[in-house]
Amino acid sequence: MGYGHRLEFGITIPPVLPEGAAAFARRAEELGYDVVTFRDAPGRSLDAWTLASWVAGRTDRVRVGAHVPCATPAVLARAAASLDLLSGGRLELGLGAGEEAAALGEAIDIIRGLLDAGERGPLRFEGEHYRVRGARRGPAPERYVPVHVEAHDPPMLRLAGRKADGWVATLGRIKAGGIRAANGLLDETAREAGRDPREIRRLLNISGRFSGERGGFLDGPPGAWVEDLLPLVIEEGVGTLVLATDGAEGMERFAREVVPALREAAGRELAGAPSGPAVRPAWVRARRQPGIDYGRIPASLGENAVEPGDPAYARVRSTYLRGGAPGLVLRAGSPEQVAEALAFARSHPEVPLGIRSGGHGISGRSTNRGGIVIDLSKMDGIEVLDEASRRVRLGPGARWMDVAAALAPYGWGLSSGDYGGVGVGGLATAGGIGWLARKRGLTIDRLRAVEMVLADGSVVRAGGEENPDLFWAVRGAGANFGIVTSFEFEAYEVGEVGWGQFLVDASDTAGLLRRWGAAVEVAPRDLTSFIILGAQRPGRPAVAQVFAVVDSDRPEVVAGQLEPVARAAPVYDQSAVITPYASVMANAQGSYHEARGEPVARSGLIRHITPRFAAAAEMLLRSGAAYFFQIRSVGGAVSDVAPEATAYAGRSANFHVAAFGASPERLDAAWDAMRTHFEGTYLSFETDRRPERLREAFPPGVLERLRELKGRYDPENVFRDNFNIPPAERRQG
Amino acid sequence: MTDYGHDLLFGAFITPAARPPTHAVELAVAAERAGLDLVTFQDHPYQPAFLDTWTLLSYVAARTERVRLSGNVINLPLRHPAVLARAAASLDLLSGGRFELGLGAGGFWDAIEAMGGRRLTPGQSVEALGEAIGIIRELWDTEKRGGARFDGEYYSLKGAKRGPAPAHGIGIWVGAYGPRMLRLTGRMADGWVPSLPYLSGGPANLAEMNRRIDEGAASAGRDPSAVRRLLNISGQFQPSRGSLLVGPPRQWAEELAEISLEHGVSGFILMADDAAPIELFASEVAPATRELVAAGRAR
Ligand SMILES: Cc1cc2nc3c(=O)[nH]c(=O)nc-3n(C[C@H](O)[C@H](O)[C@H](O)COP(=O)(O)OP(=O)(O)OC[C@H]3O[C@@H](n4cnc5c(N)ncnc54)[C@H](O)[C@@H]3O)c2cc1C
């Protein structure tokens, strides 16, 4: 009789020894215990929550089980989320001692409701015992926080059957022979509530005595303990044994002499089972999307799969600019897992598929509604392969600010973009217009090889020698051809750079753009500059922000090169510093994305900022249709690369122009007037999916070759979330 | 000159932001390393963008060795005083006597009620705070025999078990502004922590407020020096001299020394969410202020 849980062992820390508690817990962690638990006892003993939080701060791996009274459930919910976050997902919440079943049931609903930060809208709860009137949900815990309920009588057992993730009983208060009946009641009420009894882990608090000869139940040599405990595990389905002991010696002997023998005897199935719930709770399953076969999620991905009812869902549903509600997010940790996730996704051809690395896609729809997302954020390695040739290997999930920071100690860098939060995967498959573009080219220009998973699940390398066609396509249209699992780059030397920020008057918008563009075009390649304007508001002075990096650490060089660019208009405010390249990139916060809605963006590549273009841009900004307008310099080294060398073909441009608006119709109305000036598009900043855009992003020869290769590598068009290139029809015969 | 005879304390007031969860912890560790005496966190249990302050304090206590910790200030309406008493004593025991209990009567009643707390009028909340302080002190007193009893308007204890006793005399510091709260602070508290940005008249307001606390103390037969005066401050470091607490560290030190000598403030707690200002405050402002205050007191 088992419930499919991994057999686990815990220790109850006596709440009496302030100095000893942390040491005791650390020793339990060293001894391999899975969980340390704390229970509240009145009077001189320590407050269990405080003690559990303290111990979490002094341990690294062991889970922390806090068994506490529940005075104000909403406050306890926030505390639980907080302890789970601080401890890196190690909390188990124990409730029930001294409570009444009906009140506790309400409390659990409130706690779960507030922990469910993925659900939008405040929590309202009108109960007999507790009321919550529009409390905001969150914070989202690190993991699903299991709620364990202590139950020794039928009302509490029934409550545990309906609502708990674990049932806790103490041997002594329940007889070994009474466990079966209790399990029966739990299972029955669980089924009545539409749950699977395997959702409930069975935890048993035990205590005993080690002695030379058997004196009674759990009183004797370790072998006798094993004999006594084994039937509880095998026949009664107990998944966790928690030993209460005052002395370190009992804890040591139990870990060394009882646990291994019990594990061995209990057999392989239990040892290999997941430590979390064997099945997702019923209320999580209730939120599943039709059309996704959740039961067949590959086992290796199971623990890291996130579904709509999971607490981690709040952290993965949306991206930096796009709100989403996918039906399943599969977080892969290796090329093999990527291939498994892909095979699973391919068995669902009807639902959308998104590939996500850093989650900063604009054109890239790395979230969706009701579909599947393969998330690569765990594959975030940054590794130096060879110091002499400055070869580095980057995982797709690494963020560019972390790349910059990791390369800085070597004195190296890689130009990527202007924002440190952007991920390697999306940017390095599309282009990469960054702070050193004019001097060092696009990010993809330093790419030497990739490893990727193709639509058919094969893992291949592509580089100058191996699969050169694929390597060509990856550099500009990579998202259409597979999932890149690692990137090999040749970095270059970058130390401190000049970093200028200028707030300038933009009342003569067209003039400013012209003068800025002219200054940038004649500047030495050390300089790369971006300019940003927002919608102009009546009655407010129009301003623009000009940013520039000069790849030099000599103040006179930096000042000399910044000056002409800053002089494009009267300056309101300025700062210029010499600072490590990595600190220019360190501009993103380390937290998750929670955008709502859909971004609307347009992109164009242009050779010169001509007076007519500048006038059209001024009109666009005056119209208010764009709330964010940016021109980035390219040209320089970007144009040194032949247009046919990579799928990114817009090599002749000196500038990239992007605009974000709220409404596609309004934005297009103004943007269309500018189209005649453009010579192509950088797909990353284009959200329009009409076929014309494809022809702008890729010149005819390039598009033809891409379609032909798409037909070869992805004939069924599995990869279609980012500027989709339709595969060429297979020619007959 | 006003001098209540306390050594100067310098601390940080750190936002307990939930994301990323380690940020507040790292700043607290940075504050300790920089040499500050005290790390404090505000407590707004209805605010999901924040970590639970009690949990954070306990966790940070485990991650630090020397620095003292306090809520600034703990939200009484959502935390029962009997639970607070045990939790505070526990944290004090675990941390080796490094905990102080900053307490507030609460203010955002809609949010408190939404969480399941009881709505009180401002007047009631002052009375409730008074009762709470009484209960907390009663439960800490393990010298007394028998269960703790308390029969109040807002809280009652019916023979609750006492203890544990804290490791040191935990200071109860009250966040107070209105006349009733200030008198209560004088009667019952060990410390007072207002925030300078909330004082419409700036530091000059402190004189009148101190007077109310002193009166409250006198009415209860206490010495005014029983109540340490602390102050949450915010400002900006910049090379050139500017307005109050906007300027170089030397200017800060002069201004803080003046506030200290003039109004008897002996604790300055800087609201800051970056390591850089915390480090400047600890390494430059604190020692210079201490020197100036010592010189001023000696005169
Ligand atoms: C604030 C901001 C600033 C930006 N600044 C710049 C800039 O300065 N210069 C610049 O060039 N771009 C810039 N971009 C655009 C950015 O490069 C793209 O949006 C890029 O796709 C983001 O990559 P990601 O991994 O973070 O995004 P994700 O959302 O994770 O991915 C976007 C798309 O890329 C594809 N993709 C992701 N990972 C892989 C992979 N491993 N293999 C194959 N395909 C993959 C998928 O199709 C996905 O839909 C910026 C974007 C934002 C939001």
Side-chain angles (χ1 to χ4, degrees):
Chain A
M1 168 86 206
Y3 296 94
H5 298 265
R6 194 177 90 97
L7 180 57
E8 296 196 331
F9 297 92
I11 270 287
T12 292
I13 305 267
V16 281
L17 315 158
E19 310 78 32
F24 208 89
R26 269 204 310 276
R27 184 70 191 135
E29 179 168 271
E30 280 164 17
L31 287 168
Y33 281 96
D34 301 288
V35 59
V36 292
T37 69
F38 307 89
R39 36 196 50 251
D40 234 54
R44 312 248 160 149
S45 66
L46 297 174
D47 172 62
W49 191 265
T50 305
L51 181 56
S53 306
W54 164 272
V55 163
R58 295 260 161 135
T59 51
D60 301 313
R61 183 197 55 77
V62 75
R63 292 201 306 280
V64 175
H67 291 256
V68 292
C70 184
T72 316
V75 176
L76 182 56
R78 300 234 202 274
S82 303
L83 184 47
D84 197 58
L85 280 167
L86 288 167
S87 67
R90 292 192 280 135
L91 175 67
E92 293 178 356
L93 181 60
L95 298 171
E99 314 263 353
E100 187 210 323
L104 185 60
E106 293 184 11
I108 292 176
D109 289 347
I110 292 172
I111 291 169
R112 286 237 169 78
L114 282 178
L115 289 176
D116 189 3
E119 183 71 6
R120 291 183 172 154
L123 177 76
R124 286 176 204 289
F125 187 93
E126 288 288 330
E128 299 262 310
H129 305 269
Y130 300 108
R131 269 198 307 252
V132 168
R133 295 182 165 163
R136 288 159 63 201
R137 297 170 201 262
E142 180 73 22
R143 302 235 182 123
Y144 182 83
V145 175
V147 175
H148 293 172
V149 168
E150 180 164 338
H152 293 101
D153 59 20
M156 276 302 229
L157 282 165
R158 273 191 227 104
L159 174 77
R162 283 200 307 279
K163 297 193 191 270
D165 301 297
W167 164 51
V168 185
T170 301
L171 209 54
R173 293 189 63 189
I174 189 169
K175 296 259 162 13
I179 297 179
R180 182 155 308 178
N183 270 331
L185 188 53
L186 276 172
D187 296 355
E188 185 189 312
T189 35
R191 283 199 199 90
E192 276 165 20
R195 305 180 68 197
D196 183 329
R198 289 175 301 163
E199 291 174 28
I200 308 166
R201 179 179 271 278
R202 324 286 154 135
L203 302 94
L204 193 63
N205 296 320
I206 55 169
S207 54
R209 199 165 71 94
F210 287 106
S211 51
E213 254 172 78
R214 180 185 270 290
F217 190 77
L218 296 186
D219 179 0
W225 281 59
V226 175
E227 269 168 36
D228 292 342
L229 293 174
L230 189 61
L232 300 179
V233 173
I234 301 277
E235 282 154 35
E236 315 299 344
V238 171
T240 308
L241 289 164
V242 183
L243 179 71
T245 167
D246 301 339
E249 204 206 315
M251 170 168 84
E252 302 268 341
R253 287 196 80 176
F254 188 72
R256 289 180 200 287
E257 297 171 40
V258 178
V259 169
L262 253 182
R263 280 227 158 94
E264 165 101 31
R268 281 178 185 279
E269 316 90 86
L270 290 179
S275 75
V279 285
R280 274 199 167 61
W283 45 89
V284 174
R285 285 180 313 198
R287 306 248 195 104
R288 289 179 160 179
Q289 289 284 329
I292 298 181
D293 188 354
Y294 293 89
R296 287 198 308 106
I297 296 172
S300 68
L301 296 165
E303 260 199 84
N304 291 307
V306 185
E307 303 179 11
D310 291 337
Y313 190 66
R315 288 200 289 273
V316 300
R317 60 183 297 171
S318 297
T319 59
Y320 186 73
L321 290 173
R322 183 173 276 114
L328 179 65
V329 177
L330 294 171
R331 293 182 286 188
S334 66
E336 296 70 39
Q337 290 189 358
V338 169
E340 279 190 272
L342 186 59
F344 180 80
R346 288 202 62 179
S347 67
H348 297 78
E350 307 303 318
V351 307
L353 170 63
I355 310 302
R356 185 187 303 166
S357 290
H360 280 67
I362 305 166
S363 61
R365 281 144 172 96
S366 54
T367 188
N368 53 45
R369 304 214 154 256
I372 295 172
V373 170
I374 300 178
D375 180 310
L376 309 165
S377 56
K378 294 204 307 171
M379 298 174 70
D380 60 354
I382 302 169
E383 204 184 331
V384 172
L385 295 179
D386 179 35
E387 280 210 40
S389 60
R390 293 186 301 268
R391 269 269 183 149
V392 297
R393 180 153 62 204
L394 308 182
R399 301 180 307 166
W400 286 105
M401 64 187 276
D402 302 323
V403 174
L407 299 186
Y410 297 87
W412 304 344
L414 274 172
S415 176
S416 54
D418 61 356
Y419 191 61
V422 169
V424 167
L427 183 135
T429 45
I433 300 176
W435 284 128
L436 306 169
R438 293 181 72 245
K439 178 154 181 182
R440 301 292 192 172
L442 300 175
T443 309
I444 54 168
D445 296 340
R446 309 298 295 198
L447 187 59
R448 296 296 176 256
V450 293
E451 176 194 73
M452 63 196 288
V453 178
L454 300 178
D456 64 7
S458 56
V459 181
V460 300
R461 254 181 88 85
E465 311 279 290
E466 281 164 282
N467 298 307
D469 274 352
L470 188 58
F471 188 52
W472 172 83
V474 162
R475 288 172 294 160
N480 271 282
F481 290 89
I483 302 175
V484 178
T485 48
S486 80
F487 294 84
E488 284 179 34
F489 281 99
E490 190 178 324
Y492 32 78
E493 285 181 2
V494 187
E496 303 220 301
V497 298
W499 170 231
Q501 295 167 273
F502 306 92
L503 187 69
V504 303
D505 178 16
S507 31
D508 171 17
T509 307
L512 162 67
L513 293 177
R514 259 190 293 112
R515 287 187 294 275
W516 173 80
V520 169
E521 275 197 49
V522 300
R525 286 185 174 194
D526 289 342
L527 177 132
T528 295
S529 178
F530 295 2
I531 185 168
I532 297 178
L533 293 96
Q536 296 179 0
R537 305 238 166 78
R540 297 256 193 92
V543 292
Q545 288 169 282
V546 174
F547 301 95
V549 164
V550 177
D551 187 9
S552 166
D553 56 6
R554 298 196 359 243
E556 65 285 4
V557 173
V558 171
Q561 293 191 21
L562 287 178
E563 203 260 345
V565 176
R567 222 175 25 199
V571 173
Y572 289 132
D573 195 6
Q574 59 180 321
S575 99
V577 290
I578 308 245
T579 185
Y581 171 68
S583 72
V584 176
M585 288 304 293
N587 53 8
Q589 294 296 318
S591 80
Y592 60 85
H593 311 314
E594 47 187 351
R596 302 197 180 180
E598 272 289 310
V600 176
R602 295 292 177 265
S603 152
L605 289 162
I606 189 169
R607 206 173 287 223
H608 308 292
I609 313 280
T610 60
R612 288 181 51 209
F613 169 78
E618 179 165 333
M619 293 276 285
L620 168 80
L621 285 160
R622 287 261 159 84
S623 77
Y627 61 81
F628 182 91
F629 177 86
Q630 182 180 43
I631 308 183
R632 297 153 194 261
S633 49
V634 272
V638 178
S639 305
D640 293 347
V641 177
E644 62 281 0
T646 59
Y648 179 101
R651 297 287 180 175
S652 57
N654 282 312
F655 300 96
H656 171 254
V657 185
F660 284 75
S663 133
E665 294 74 27
R666 282 188 65 209
L667 188 58
D668 278 334
W671 187 261
D672 282 341
M674 296 165 63
R675 285 201 195 277
T676 52
H677 302 282
F678 293 130
E679 306 179 6
T681 292
Y682 174 36
L683 64 84
S684 285
F685 286 91
E686 179 63 63
T687 57
D688 189 0
R689 284 195 276 192
R690 284 173 286 184
E692 302 92 282
R693 300 291 92 83
L694 208 54
R695 290 196 291 276
E696 288 162 10
F698 306 109
V702 171
L703 183 56
E704 203 178 316
R705 187 174 172 198
L706 284 170
R707 292 197 55 193
E708 197 263 315
L709 289 170
K710 177 83 173 173
R712 179 151 24 119
Y713 287 104
D714 184 19
E716 287 169 37
N717 204 13
V718 175
F719 302 111
R720 55 186 185 278
D721 73 334
N722 188 7
F723 232 79
N724 191 212
I725 297 166
E729 301 288 323
R730 289 293 180 102
R731 263 175 288 246
Q732 303 288 312
Chain B
M1 180 173 130
T2 315
D3 181 0
Y4 298 101
H6 297 270
D7 287 346
L8 291 193
L9 287 180
F10 292 85
F13 177 102
I14 297 170
T15 307
R19 281 197 271 143
T22 46
H23 188 65
V25 181
E26 281 159 13
L27 278 181
V29 171
E32 170 170 271
R33 205 174 296 139
L36 287 186
D37 308 298
L38 178 67
V39 164
T40 69
F41 303 102
Q42 56 190 309
D43 181 30
H44 297 285
Y46 31 76
Q47 170 54 273
F50 290 172
L51 293 169
D52 172 61
T53 299
W54 199 271
T55 308
L56 178 64
L57 282 165
S58 310
Y59 187 88
V60 165
R63 288 294 169 121
T64 50
E65 304 288 339
R66 183 193 52 75
V67 79
R68 290 155 75 175
L69 298 160
S70 177
N72 191 345
V73 286
I74 294 291
N75 186 289
L76 181 64
L78 285 169
R79 303 186 186 272
H80 195 282
V83 177
L84 271 180
R86 283 191 57 219
S90 301
L91 189 45
D92 199 49
L93 286 164
L94 287 164
S95 65
R98 291 191 282 133
F99 184 70
E100 314 293 343
L101 183 59
L103 261 188
F108 300 93
W109 296 104
D110 287 343
I112 288 166
E113 201 177 29
M115 291 285 284
R118 174 174 168 197
R119 179 185 287 274
L120 300 178
T121 65
Q124 289 172 325
S125 73
V126 177
E127 291 167 16
L129 180 64
E131 289 188 10
I133 295 176
I135 285 187
I136 292 170
R137 294 209 197 281
E138 188 66 24
L139 286 171
W140 283 345
D141 187 355
T142 51
E143 306 283 287
K144 272 201 208 154
R145 316 261 322 236
R149 297 191 174 276
F150 191 92
D151 187 18
E153 187 76 19
Y154 305 92
Y155 304 107
S156 63
L157 293 181
K158 300 194 173 91
K161 284 205 175 139
R162 298 171 183 276
H168 86 300
I170 297 179
I172 297 183
W173 298 347
V174 172
Y177 298 92
R180 273 177 303 193
M181 276 287 275
L182 290 166
R183 268 196 303 278
L184 175 100
T185 304
R187 280 202 320 275
M188 303 188 77
D190 306 304
W192 175 48
V193 259
S195 294
L196 185 53
Y198 292 173
L199 305 185
S200 55
N205 286 13
L206 294 171
E208 174 66 15
M209 297 167 95
N210 268 330
R211 195 177 56 71
R212 290 219 152 90
I213 295 175
D214 296 350
E215 282 169 14
S219 78
R222 302 173 81 204
D223 191 300
S225 70
V227 187
R228 180 194 269 280
R229 322 291 154 119
L230 301 104
L231 189 62
N232 295 316
I233 56 171
S234 72
Q236 199 185 315
F237 289 109
Q238 64 178 38
S240 54
R241 288 190 163 245
S243 54
L244 180 66
L245 300 180
V246 176
R250 183 70 206 173
Q251 177 195 327
W252 282 54
E254 288 162 7
E255 289 166 349
L256 295 183
E258 193 183 320
I259 294 174
S260 177
L261 292 167
E262 177 82 22
H263 300 291
V265 174
S266 60
F268 293 102
I269 308 174
L270 177 66
M271 304 168 158
D273 285 311
D274 275 311
I278 289 177
E279 278 154 16
L280 266 183
F281 188 59
S283 64
E284 306 272 330
V285 179
T289 311
R290 283 202 169 96
E291 253 174 51
L292 291 170
V293 170
R297 284 181 179 176
R299 263 202 303 267

